[in-house]
Amino acid sequence: MKIFKTIGFTVTLLLFVTCYAQQEQDSIKTYKKRVLETTEVDFLTSYYGQSGDNAAVSGGIGTEELTDVTGTFVVSIPLSDDDVLTIDAGVSAYTSASSSNVDPFDGGQPADPFVASSGASSSDTWVNLSGSYSHSSDDRNTIVSGKLSVSSEYDYFSLGFGGGLTKLFNEKNTEVSVNANVYLDKWNSIYPSELRPFASGANGLANGFFSNKTITGDTNYSPIFDKFSDETRNSYSVGFGFSQILSKNLQGSLALDFVQQQGLLSTPFQRVYFADVADSFIENFQLADAIEQLPDSRFKVAVGGRLNWYVNETVVVRSFYRYYYDDWGISSHTASVEVPIKISDKFTIYPSYRYYQQTAADYFYGYEEALSTDTYYTSDYDLSEYSANQFGMGVSYTDIFTKAHIWKLGLKSIDLKFYKYDRDTTFSSSIITAGFKFVMD
């Protein structure tokens, strides 16, 4: 495939440029400014909450309530005049009424898609560790970078690696870049609890799971269910960037990205209900007719551009547009604008607005819209047709002299942001983020 040829070419080019940069460093022994003067430490944290009534875990109906708290440390270390090592470590802990209903029967209350179960699936922790290395040439017109990352949660493990090349021309007024990344993921598939007794063609109703439960509606419950034989997911991406200073007040950039995914692209614990199958219930919870089934490959293309206008020393306008397309039938448009306003030497506020609109995937069906004869189906409303608006407000504090200190770290900046997001469905969310940048004395 063309995308793999592109990745191979990119890796070869990165190796060539790395060797060239080393030779250049050995042959030129002149003074140069360090890429990063001193170690920088960023602490980032956020609180996220969402609500809605179209949970994919319960087949397009039920609560989507979720809260998530994250904390991340990013440490950038200058290894030499030209080399920087960046370590990024983060933890995310969430509680989810939606995912708790992977097993809605393990709590102390009657099972209901609009009520969170109190069982083990109601919360989880995600951890991530990544390291990146960048090398700049003596004239600072060439930057080569590499990255390695690993992340894990209760049902998912991911290993990623990649690299990039950036070239600056025209007295650094023009910049072009290329990057390539690979992610190798592994599911530890968790299935809806009522389907597990039917694995491998077993007679599920004879299983002990149903012995102390009463089925109402269609009592001859017989779902379509087989475990996934392949639990791997591989993602390959190539991105190209171009940036140009158009005038002393105007800068523009363009980006083109290609992503190829292969493997298990379905989410194993997301239920589907069919229009041509009679309904079965335990308590107030409808038993799954099947689980989400999606193709094992997906190709994505995104093209976008930014235009930043420096109005004056007080106001800057940052605009963005992106068009996205994939071979599942989704196309989308994203447009956003942010207006940083400097209100003093140290404080800046920045209101923002973002609009998003997408078409539905070919395989999306709402609650009880799919048929049992369909090959692919999902009731995940992230793949439905919708539009969304997001309003944001941020404030930043900057002290280039780092007068405030914690141990040997001087506080350089603080950023606080709030975003409110609403779809034209019942889904809405909000997030508060905070970032603190320190520099080592």
Side-chain angles (χ1 to χ4, degrees):
M1 295 180 65
K2 290 183 178 180
I3 192 167
F4 299 115
K5 293 181 180 178
T6 303
I7 292 174
F9 170 76
T10 302
V11 172
T12 303
L13 185 60
L14 293 176
L15 292 174
F16 170 78
V17 173
T18 302
C19 294
Y20 174 80
Q22 185 62 50
Q23 292 172 357
E24 186 181 32
Q25 182 182 32
D26 293 340
S27 61
I28 300 177
K29 301 297 184 180
T30 58
Y31 172 78
K32 54 192 173 184
K33 182 178 176 63
R34 293 169 66 91
V35 175
L36 184 65
E37 292 294 335
T38 186
T39 298
E40 295 183 350
V41 179
D42 290 89
F43 174 66
L44 311 172
T45 185
S46 67
Y47 176 84
Y48 171 85
Q50 71 176 45
S51 62
D53 299 320
N54 300 116
V57 172
S58 44
I61 59 172
T63 178
E64 295 179 82
E65 288 187 6
L66 180 147
T67 59
D68 180 271
V69 179
T70 66
T72 302
F73 280 99
V74 182
V75 183
S76 300
I77 306 168
L79 303 179
S80 68
D81 290 347
D82 307 318
D83 305 297
V84 177
L85 174 65
T86 301
I87 305 296
D88 184 330
V91 176
S92 173
Y94 73 82
T95 58
S96 170
S98 174
S99 68
S100 74
N101 283 325
V102 172
D103 185 355
F105 312 108
D106 62 354
Q109 71 289 321
D112 190 304
F114 291 94
V115 177
S117 170
S118 58
S121 58
S122 62
S123 63
D124 188 31
T125 300
W126 172 87
V127 294
N128 175 76
L129 178 64
S130 65
S132 62
Y133 165 82
S134 68
H135 172 81
S136 299
S137 62
D138 286 297
D139 61 7
R140 301 299 185 248
N141 287 332
T142 302
I143 304 170
V144 180
S145 62
K147 180 180 180 180
L148 179 66
S149 66
V150 60
S151 62
S152 178
E153 55 185 311
Y154 81 105
D155 64 340
Y156 206 77
F157 177 83
S158 178
L159 175 67
F161 56 91
L165 170 66
T166 300
K167 292 287 290 185
L168 289 85
F169 305 94
N170 189 23
E171 297 181 345
K172 295 182 172 58
N173 289 320
T174 304
E175 178 181 307
V176 295
S177 63
V178 59
N179 63 81
N181 292 282
V182 176
Y183 291 94
L184 308 176
D185 306 334
K186 179 69 168 62
W187 287 92
N188 177 22
S189 294
I190 307 296
Y191 300 100
S193 58
E194 70 271 26
L195 295 180
R196 299 169 197 171
F198 292 89
S200 303
N203 181 7
L205 293 180
N207 185 280
F209 174 83
F210 292 96
S211 62
N212 60 346
K213 298 177 177 65
T214 300
I215 298 178
T216 58
D218 181 10
T219 57
N220 187 28
Y221 177 55
S222 181
I224 299 173
F225 177 64
D226 286 300
K227 290 185 176 181
F228 291 111
S229 58
D230 181 7
E231 295 186 323
T232 62
R233 171 189 293 177
N234 299 335
S235 302
Y236 312 92
S237 67
V238 176
F240 303 91
F242 172 80
S243 177
Q244 177 67 49
I245 296 177
L246 304 172
S247 71
K248 66 177 183 180
N249 290 0
L250 202 61
Q251 181 188 36
S253 64
L254 297 171
L256 177 63
D257 295 286
F258 301 95
V259 178
Q260 176 70 53
Q261 292 184 296
Q262 295 176 320
L264 179 52
L265 305 184
S266 306
T267 303
F269 52 76
Q270 295 189 167
R271 294 175 174 87
V272 171
Y273 300 116
F274 296 130
D276 57 343
V277 174
D279 300 340
S280 300
F281 296 84
I282 292 179
E283 297 169 347
N284 299 321
F285 199 93
Q286 185 172 346
L287 305 182
D289 293 330
I291 55 173
E292 177 181 88
Q293 297 287 334
L294 292 169
D296 60 3
S297 68
R298 188 179 187 183
F299 183 66
K300 308 177 184 181
V301 180
V303 58
R306 296 181 182 274
L307 191 63
N308 297 335
W309 177 31
Y310 178 83
V311 180
N312 53 45
E313 63 180 9
T314 302
V315 179
V316 178
V317 178
R318 299 171 179 165
S319 61
F320 170 76
Y321 171 78
R322 184 186 68 175
Y323 173 75
Y324 166 90
Y325 164 82
D326 67 31
D327 59 1
W328 285 8
I330 293 179
S331 62
S332 71
H333 301 271
T334 305
S336 67
V337 61
E338 183 181 72
V339 185
I341 303 171
K342 192 172 183 179
I343 58 178
S344 73
D345 290 342
K346 293 185 177 181
F347 287 94
T348 301
I349 61 172
Y350 37 100
S352 64
Y353 170 73
R354 177 180 179 269
Y355 174 77
Y356 179 81
Q357 178 270 328
Q358 77 170 34
T359 61
D362 297 335
Y363 320 112
F364 173 78
Y365 299 91
Y367 169 70
E368 291 197 333
E369 291 182 357
L371 298 176
S372 59
T373 54
D374 292 327
T375 302
Y376 300 115
Y377 35 77
T378 177
S379 293
D380 185 346
Y381 272 70
D382 287 344
L383 301 178
S384 70
E385 178 180 1
Y386 69 88
S387 61
N389 297 279
Q390 177 179 279
F391 296 90
M393 176 61 73
V395 59
S396 67
Y397 165 85
T398 303
D399 179 10
I400 61 174
F401 300 107
T402 62
K403 293 180 180 179
H405 281 74
I406 298 178
W407 187 55
K408 295 182 179 180
L409 299 174
L411 179 61
K412 186 175 182 179
S413 66
I414 301 174
D415 286 282
L416 300 174
K417 299 178 183 178
F418 172 78
Y419 296 103
K420 183 69 172 67
Y421 174 88
D422 290 289
R423 294 183 185 175
D424 58 359
T425 63
T426 61
F427 184 91
S428 65
S429 68
S430 59
I431 184 171
I432 300 173
T433 68
F436 303 85
K437 179 181 286 293
F438 298 91
V439 295
M440 185 75 74
D441 288 345

